[in-house]
Amino acid sequence: MNGNLKLAIQKKGRLTEKSLELLRHCGLDIENYSERLIVSVRNFPLDILFLRDDDIPEYVQDGVADIGIVGENVIYEKQTQTTMLEKLGFGRCSLMLAYPENKELKKIEDINGRIIATTYPRILKDYLGSNNLNAKIIELSGSVEIAPSLGVADLICDIVSTGNTLMMNKLKKSFKVFDSEAVLISAASSLSDEKKNDMLNDLLRRIRSVLTARSSKYLMMNVPKNSLEKIINIIPSLKSPTVLHLADANMLAVHAVIPSNKFWSIIEDLKAAGASGILLLPIENMIQ
Ligand code: PRP
Ligand code: ZN
């Protein structure tokens, strides 16, 4: 035990690279991790544990890891005592019912009496129950997508992200059971070890700053002096925009941080109000 904060992430899968990328954006210098179970961070008191994602909620609950990054799908399936600290905005996917391309499934009631293979029996059981459906669930520990071609199930209920796995196995998706994204969890909202809790708060501050920066953009433009008020009313900025003088006395430069998804809906209004030289830049970090 070295007193470092311990973070569990998925060993190999959809969330591995994105989790490491988030940590690197937080300024963490991570040792080369290929095929290792634990790696240390050179410039932060953090050890990263690479584990099977399905085991992460339990390891966090039991204190083997202090915190973990895992999909909501796994958390709801495992029903462990953990607290969600932050949604991380990546690893978005859906738990879906899927069946062989050459079969037909018109309405959800058509699954009554069928066999569904899944690694998410609990979520599926809840879904069937709340929709008054009656199908048989077969629990598998992995490679669910091959169950229909092996003849052990009529349908599968599995995670779909890009859809490649389904396509390669000649399956098509149908009804959605559950939406998920990656989240950061801990056993309780604050850790009992005071030092570790300070480390966690430091890490959380960094993560939140990266997440805010990812969803924001820096907007710059030149505007005629007499349309400044109009332009400021169009900009969906949280804070008051910065206004700067230009060499041309009739013009001003306006800078503001805006939510990325608002840009295209305001661009025409900005132009109509006389804005020119509009630039939209990514933000590396944002401390609030
Ligand atoms: C899920 C699922 C598929 C894959 C689907 O695995 O079991 O294998 O993702 O993604 P795609 O639509 O992009 O092809 P997951 O990453 O949850 O890992 P695990 O099954 O090993 O736990
Ligand atoms: Zn898994």
PDB file of all heavy atoms in Angstrom, residues 26 198-212 285-288:
ATOM      1  N   CYS A  26      -6.248  15.696 -18.241  1.00  0.00           N
ATOM      2  CA  CYS A  26      -6.198  16.266 -16.884  1.00  0.00           C
ATOM      3  C   CYS A  26      -4.755  16.566 -16.482  1.00  0.00           C
ATOM      4  O   CYS A  26      -4.487  16.894 -15.329  1.00  0.00           O
ATOM      5  CB  CYS A  26      -6.796  15.294 -15.876  1.00  0.00           C
ATOM      6  SG  CYS A  26      -8.566  15.117 -16.026  1.00  0.00           S
ATOM      7  N   ASP A 198      -8.510  14.403  -0.475  1.00  0.00           N
ATOM      8  CA  ASP A 198      -7.932  15.607  -1.078  1.00  0.00           C
ATOM      9  C   ASP A 198      -7.482  15.317  -2.507  1.00  0.00           C
ATOM     10  O   ASP A 198      -7.688  16.116  -3.414  1.00  0.00           O
ATOM     11  CB  ASP A 198      -6.720  16.106  -0.265  1.00  0.00           C
ATOM     12  CG  ASP A 198      -7.153  16.710   1.058  1.00  0.00           C
ATOM     13  OD1 ASP A 198      -8.371  16.973   1.215  1.00  0.00           O
ATOM     14  OD2 ASP A 198      -6.292  16.890   1.941  1.00  0.00           O
ATOM     15  N   MET A 199      -6.852  14.136  -2.696  1.00  0.00           N
ATOM     16  CA  MET A 199      -6.400  13.762  -4.045  1.00  0.00           C
ATOM     17  C   MET A 199      -7.606  13.639  -4.974  1.00  0.00           C
ATOM     18  O   MET A 199      -7.579  14.080  -6.118  1.00  0.00           O
ATOM     19  CB  MET A 199      -5.677  12.411  -4.029  1.00  0.00           C
ATOM     20  CG  MET A 199      -4.406  12.373  -3.203  1.00  0.00           C
ATOM     21  SD  MET A 199      -3.874  10.649  -3.048  1.00  0.00           S
ATOM     22  CE  MET A 199      -2.805  10.751  -1.626  1.00  0.00           C
ATOM     23  N   LEU A 200      -8.660  13.009  -4.458  1.00  0.00           N
ATOM     24  CA  LEU A 200      -9.861  12.824  -5.270  1.00  0.00           C
ATOM     25  C   LEU A 200     -10.447  14.175  -5.673  1.00  0.00           C
ATOM     26  O   LEU A 200     -10.819  14.379  -6.833  1.00  0.00           O
ATOM     27  CB  LEU A 200     -10.906  11.993  -4.507  1.00  0.00           C
ATOM     28  CG  LEU A 200     -12.268  11.855  -5.176  1.00  0.00           C
ATOM     29  CD1 LEU A 200     -12.154  11.229  -6.567  1.00  0.00           C
ATOM     30  CD2 LEU A 200     -13.224  11.025  -4.324  1.00  0.00           C
ATOM     31  N   ASN A 201     -10.514  15.104  -4.713  1.00  0.00           N
ATOM     32  CA  ASN A 201     -11.071  16.419  -5.039  1.00  0.00           C
ATOM     33  C   ASN A 201     -10.222  17.146  -6.069  1.00  0.00           C
ATOM     34  O   ASN A 201     -10.755  17.814  -6.957  1.00  0.00           O
ATOM     35  CB  ASN A 201     -11.223  17.266  -3.768  1.00  0.00           C
ATOM     36  CG  ASN A 201     -12.413  16.778  -2.959  1.00  0.00           C
ATOM     37  OD1 ASN A 201     -13.366  16.239  -3.527  1.00  0.00           O
ATOM     38  ND2 ASN A 201     -12.354  16.927  -1.649  1.00  0.00           N
ATOM     39  N   ASP A 202      -8.914  16.988  -5.974  1.00  0.00           N
ATOM     40  CA  ASP A 202      -8.017  17.585  -6.971  1.00  0.00           C
ATOM     41  C   ASP A 202      -8.303  16.989  -8.352  1.00  0.00           C
ATOM     42  O   ASP A 202      -8.491  17.699  -9.337  1.00  0.00           O
ATOM     43  CB  ASP A 202      -6.553  17.330  -6.541  1.00  0.00           C
ATOM     44  CG  ASP A 202      -5.549  18.016  -7.448  1.00  0.00           C
ATOM     45  OD1 ASP A 202      -5.954  18.538  -8.503  1.00  0.00           O
ATOM     46  OD2 ASP A 202      -4.344  18.022  -7.111  1.00  0.00           O
ATOM     47  N   LEU A 203      -8.385  15.646  -8.404  1.00  0.00           N
ATOM     48  CA  LEU A 203      -8.654  14.971  -9.679  1.00  0.00           C
ATOM     49  C   LEU A 203     -10.019  15.372 -10.240  1.00  0.00           C
ATOM     50  O   LEU A 203     -10.168  15.630 -11.434  1.00  0.00           O
ATOM     51  CB  LEU A 203      -8.585  13.453  -9.474  1.00  0.00           C
ATOM     52  CG  LEU A 203      -8.730  12.606 -10.741  1.00  0.00           C
ATOM     53  CD1 LEU A 203      -7.583  12.859 -11.711  1.00  0.00           C
ATOM     54  CD2 LEU A 203      -8.797  11.118 -10.400  1.00  0.00           C
ATOM     55  N   LEU A 204     -11.019  15.442  -9.360  1.00  0.00           N
ATOM     56  CA  LEU A 204     -12.369  15.809  -9.795  1.00  0.00           C
ATOM     57  C   LEU A 204     -12.401  17.216 -10.385  1.00  0.00           C
ATOM     58  O   LEU A 204     -13.080  17.463 -11.378  1.00  0.00           O
ATOM     59  CB  LEU A 204     -13.327  15.763  -8.599  1.00  0.00           C
ATOM     60  CG  LEU A 204     -14.153  14.497  -8.438  1.00  0.00           C
ATOM     61  CD1 LEU A 204     -14.979  14.577  -7.182  1.00  0.00           C
ATOM     62  CD2 LEU A 204     -15.060  14.276  -9.649  1.00  0.00           C
ATOM     63  N   ARG A 205     -11.666  18.135  -9.738  1.00  0.00           N
ATOM     64  CA  ARG A 205     -11.597  19.510 -10.264  1.00  0.00           C
ATOM     65  C   ARG A 205     -11.041  19.498 -11.681  1.00  0.00           C
ATOM     66  O   ARG A 205     -11.549  20.157 -12.571  1.00  0.00           O
ATOM     67  CB  ARG A 205     -10.676  20.363  -9.368  1.00  0.00           C
ATOM     68  CG  ARG A 205     -11.430  21.395  -8.529  1.00  0.00           C
ATOM     69  CD  ARG A 205     -10.486  22.386  -7.897  1.00  0.00           C
ATOM     70  NE  ARG A 205      -9.357  21.781  -7.213  1.00  0.00           N
ATOM     71  CZ  ARG A 205      -9.374  21.332  -5.957  1.00  0.00           C
ATOM     72  NH1 ARG A 205     -10.476  21.416  -5.239  1.00  0.00           N
ATOM     73  NH2 ARG A 205      -8.301  20.792  -5.412  1.00  0.00           N
ATOM     74  N   ARG A 206      -9.987  18.704 -11.875  1.00  0.00           N
ATOM     75  CA  ARG A 206      -9.367  18.639 -13.205  1.00  0.00           C
ATOM     76  C   ARG A 206     -10.325  18.026 -14.222  1.00  0.00           C
ATOM     77  O   ARG A 206     -10.451  18.505 -15.340  1.00  0.00           O
ATOM     78  CB  ARG A 206      -8.088  17.794 -13.150  1.00  0.00           C
ATOM     79  CG  ARG A 206      -6.997  18.420 -12.301  1.00  0.00           C
ATOM     80  CD  ARG A 206      -5.775  17.555 -12.387  1.00  0.00           C
ATOM     81  NE  ARG A 206      -4.769  17.947 -11.423  1.00  0.00           N
ATOM     82  CZ  ARG A 206      -3.465  17.772 -11.613  1.00  0.00           C
ATOM     83  NH1 ARG A 206      -3.028  17.204 -12.720  1.00  0.00           N
ATOM     84  NH2 ARG A 206      -2.596  18.132 -10.698  1.00  0.00           N
ATOM     85  N   ILE A 207     -10.984  16.923 -13.806  1.00  0.00           N
ATOM     86  CA  ILE A 207     -11.905  16.258 -14.732  1.00  0.00           C
ATOM     87  C   ILE A 207     -13.026  17.213 -15.131  1.00  0.00           C
ATOM     88  O   ILE A 207     -13.358  17.352 -16.304  1.00  0.00           O
ATOM     89  CB  ILE A 207     -12.484  14.968 -14.091  1.00  0.00           C
ATOM     90  CG1 ILE A 207     -11.393  13.900 -14.014  1.00  0.00           C
ATOM     91  CG2 ILE A 207     -13.679  14.448 -14.881  1.00  0.00           C
ATOM     92  CD1 ILE A 207     -11.803  12.615 -13.310  1.00  0.00           C
ATOM     93  N   ARG A 208     -13.585  17.920 -14.142  1.00  0.00           N
ATOM     94  CA  ARG A 208     -14.690  18.836 -14.447  1.00  0.00           C
ATOM     95  C   ARG A 208     -14.230  19.953 -15.373  1.00  0.00           C
ATOM     96  O   ARG A 208     -14.981  20.363 -16.261  1.00  0.00           O
ATOM     97  CB  ARG A 208     -15.276  19.400 -13.145  1.00  0.00           C
ATOM     98  CG  ARG A 208     -16.118  18.336 -12.467  1.00  0.00           C
ATOM     99  CD  ARG A 208     -16.673  18.741 -11.129  1.00  0.00           C
ATOM    100  NE  ARG A 208     -17.428  17.617 -10.585  1.00  0.00           N
ATOM    101  CZ  ARG A 208     -17.502  17.309  -9.305  1.00  0.00           C
ATOM    102  NH1 ARG A 208     -16.891  18.059  -8.408  1.00  0.00           N
ATOM    103  NH2 ARG A 208     -18.203  16.269  -8.905  1.00  0.00           N
ATOM    104  N   SER A 209     -13.001  20.418 -15.177  1.00  0.00           N
ATOM    105  CA  SER A 209     -12.507  21.495 -16.037  1.00  0.00           C
ATOM    106  C   SER A 209     -12.331  20.992 -17.474  1.00  0.00           C
ATOM    107  O   SER A 209     -12.650  21.687 -18.424  1.00  0.00           O
ATOM    108  CB  SER A 209     -11.221  22.093 -15.455  1.00  0.00           C
ATOM    109  OG  SER A 209     -10.119  21.852 -16.272  1.00  0.00           O
ATOM    110  N   VAL A 210     -11.867  19.746 -17.633  1.00  0.00           N
ATOM    111  CA  VAL A 210     -11.729  19.182 -18.978  1.00  0.00           C
ATOM    112  C   VAL A 210     -13.101  18.992 -19.627  1.00  0.00           C
ATOM    113  O   VAL A 210     -13.304  19.313 -20.794  1.00  0.00           O
ATOM    114  CB  VAL A 210     -10.968  17.833 -18.943  1.00  0.00           C
ATOM    115  CG1 VAL A 210     -11.009  17.140 -20.298  1.00  0.00           C
ATOM    116  CG2 VAL A 210      -9.531  18.047 -18.504  1.00  0.00           C
ATOM    117  N   LEU A 211     -14.073  18.509 -18.834  1.00  0.00           N
ATOM    118  CA  LEU A 211     -15.408  18.265 -19.391  1.00  0.00           C
ATOM    119  C   LEU A 211     -16.068  19.565 -19.821  1.00  0.00           C
ATOM    120  O   LEU A 211     -16.690  19.639 -20.879  1.00  0.00           O
ATOM    121  CB  LEU A 211     -16.305  17.547 -18.371  1.00  0.00           C
ATOM    122  CG  LEU A 211     -15.873  16.128 -17.987  1.00  0.00           C
ATOM    123  CD1 LEU A 211     -16.832  15.546 -16.964  1.00  0.00           C
ATOM    124  CD2 LEU A 211     -15.791  15.220 -19.203  1.00  0.00           C
ATOM    125  N   THR A 212     -15.935  20.625 -19.004  1.00  0.00           N
ATOM    126  CA  THR A 212     -16.518  21.919 -19.371  1.00  0.00           C
ATOM    127  C   THR A 212     -15.842  22.445 -20.632  1.00  0.00           C
ATOM    128  O   THR A 212     -16.505  22.950 -21.535  1.00  0.00           O
ATOM    129  CB  THR A 212     -16.315  22.971 -18.252  1.00  0.00           C
ATOM    130  OG1 THR A 212     -16.471  22.342 -17.001  1.00  0.00           O
ATOM    131  CG2 THR A 212     -17.280  24.119 -18.374  1.00  0.00           C
ATOM    132  N   ASN A 285      -8.560  23.866 -21.505  1.00  0.00           N
ATOM    133  CA  ASN A 285      -8.962  23.697 -20.109  1.00  0.00           C
ATOM    134  C   ASN A 285      -9.784  24.885 -19.680  1.00  0.00           C
ATOM    135  O   ASN A 285      -9.603  25.975 -20.214  1.00  0.00           O
ATOM    136  CB  ASN A 285      -7.715  23.650 -19.227  1.00  0.00           C
ATOM    137  CG  ASN A 285      -7.474  22.245 -18.728  1.00  0.00           C
ATOM    138  OD1 ASN A 285      -8.301  21.693 -18.007  1.00  0.00           O
ATOM    139  ND2 ASN A 285      -6.380  21.676 -19.134  1.00  0.00           N
ATOM    140  N   MET A 286     -10.669  24.672 -18.708  1.00  0.00           N
ATOM    141  CA  MET A 286     -11.484  25.799 -18.258  1.00  0.00           C
ATOM    142  C   MET A 286     -11.747  25.655 -16.770  1.00  0.00           C
ATOM    143  O   MET A 286     -12.361  24.692 -16.334  1.00  0.00           O
ATOM    144  CB  MET A 286     -12.800  25.786 -19.024  1.00  0.00           C
ATOM    145  CG  MET A 286     -13.422  27.136 -19.140  1.00  0.00           C
ATOM    146  SD  MET A 286     -14.689  27.064 -20.395  1.00  0.00           S
ATOM    147  CE  MET A 286     -16.063  27.447 -19.369  1.00  0.00           C
ATOM    148  N   ILE A 287     -11.221  26.569 -15.982  1.00  0.00           N
ATOM    149  CA  ILE A 287     -11.395  26.511 -14.531  1.00  0.00           C
ATOM    150  C   ILE A 287     -12.494  27.495 -14.150  1.00  0.00           C
ATOM    151  O   ILE A 287     -12.410  28.664 -14.525  1.00  0.00           O
ATOM    152  CB  ILE A 287     -10.088  26.912 -13.791  1.00  0.00           C
ATOM    153  CG1 ILE A 287      -8.854  26.341 -14.476  1.00  0.00           C
ATOM    154  CG2 ILE A 287     -10.163  26.533 -12.329  1.00  0.00           C
ATOM    155  CD1 ILE A 287      -8.712  24.847 -14.468  1.00  0.00           C
ATOM    156  N   GLN A 288     -13.501  27.015 -13.424  1.00  0.00           N
ATOM    157  CA  GLN A 288     -14.591  27.925 -13.063  1.00  0.00           C
ATOM    158  C   GLN A 288     -14.633  28.198 -11.577  1.00  0.00           C
ATOM    159  O   GLN A 288     -14.154  27.396 -10.800  1.00  0.00           O
ATOM    160  CB  GLN A 288     -15.922  27.351 -13.516  1.00  0.00           C
ATOM    161  CG  GLN A 288     -16.059  27.470 -15.021  1.00  0.00           C
ATOM    162  CD  GLN A 288     -17.411  27.028 -15.505  1.00  0.00           C
ATOM    163  OE1 GLN A 288     -17.893  26.006 -15.074  1.00  0.00           O
ATOM    164  NE2 GLN A 288     -18.003  27.807 -16.386  1.00  0.00           N
TER     165      GLN A 288
END
